[in-house]
Structure formats: C-alpha cells, structure tokens
Amino acid sequence: MAAKVMGELSCHICFNLLTDARTLSCGHSFCYHCLIEASFKDKKCVPCLEETVPEPEQCASMLPNSDLNHKVGSLIRQGTSIEAVKDRVLRRSTFDI
C-alpha cells in the first residue's frame, strides 16, 4: 500500500513530489521537467522499461495529469513534504497488517 501511494505521488526520476505531472502511455508519471530531460537520454520508462518516453518536442504536447497535480498541490498547500507523506503512509500501513 505504501509503495503504491508513494509511487503515485512521487517522480520516478527525481524522487520528489510530482511537479506538473505528465503520465506516459504505460501509466507511470513524472515531473514535466524530468520527462523532458529523460527524453534526451533514453526512450525507456524508468520503472517498467517500456519504450514510451516521447521525443522532447512531443513532451510539450502531453496533457498534465490534473488529478495527480491536484493531489500533490493539496499536500503542498498543507505544507507536507515527501518525507512527511512517506512517514504518514508507512505508519498507517503498519497498523493495517
């Protein structure tokens, strides 16, 4: 459960909360600026290794993931850091066992 939540709200490249999230066709999400950088290096998605990273000029036409951006924005407005989210999720998941 903790891994799923953290995987949903954090970038697989910079490991911070998503910033201007974009989602690839494989379903994995990245910060927009991380995706741009990745598009110059490798065309493979970091977690699943599918060749789904578009060319740099195609990244600009990708629509933001509004749902993820809203969730992350809510956390930021509450002053929550990625470390606090990890701690909260891990504490909650220990009680679920």
Side-chain angles (χ1 to χ4, degrees):
M1 178 180 145
K4 181 180 179 194
V5 171
M6 291 316 304
E8 183 179 314
L9 299 178
S10 61
C11 176
H12 293 283
I13 296 173
C14 69
F15 304 106
N16 290 316
L17 286 172
L18 288 164
T19 304
D20 194 13
R22 307 295 165 111
T23 303
L24 298 176
S25 60
C26 61
H28 292 108
S29 297
F30 302 89
C31 298
Y32 178 64
H33 64 275
C34 290
L35 188 59
I36 293 289
E37 286 183 30
S39 68
F40 284 106
K41 297 176 186 171
D42 194 0
K43 301 302 174 206
K44 294 182 181 178
C45 173
V46 175
C48 69
L49 301 177
E50 285 188 35
E51 292 196 23
T52 55
V53 176
E55 295 296 323
E57 58 276 0
Q58 294 171 321
C59 290
S61 65
M62 292 177 69
L63 295 175
N65 186 321
S66 301
D67 186 44
L68 286 179
N69 287 328
H70 177 73
K71 288 178 184 178
V72 171
S74 295
L75 290 174
I76 292 170
R77 283 189 294 281
Q78 295 171 13
T80 306
S81 67
I82 191 73
E83 290 78 20
V85 173
K86 287 178 185 175
D87 184 55
R88 187 181 315 155
V89 170
L90 290 174
R91 270 189 282 130
R92 194 175 303 145
S93 65
T94 58
F95 295 110
D96 293 341
I97 297 175

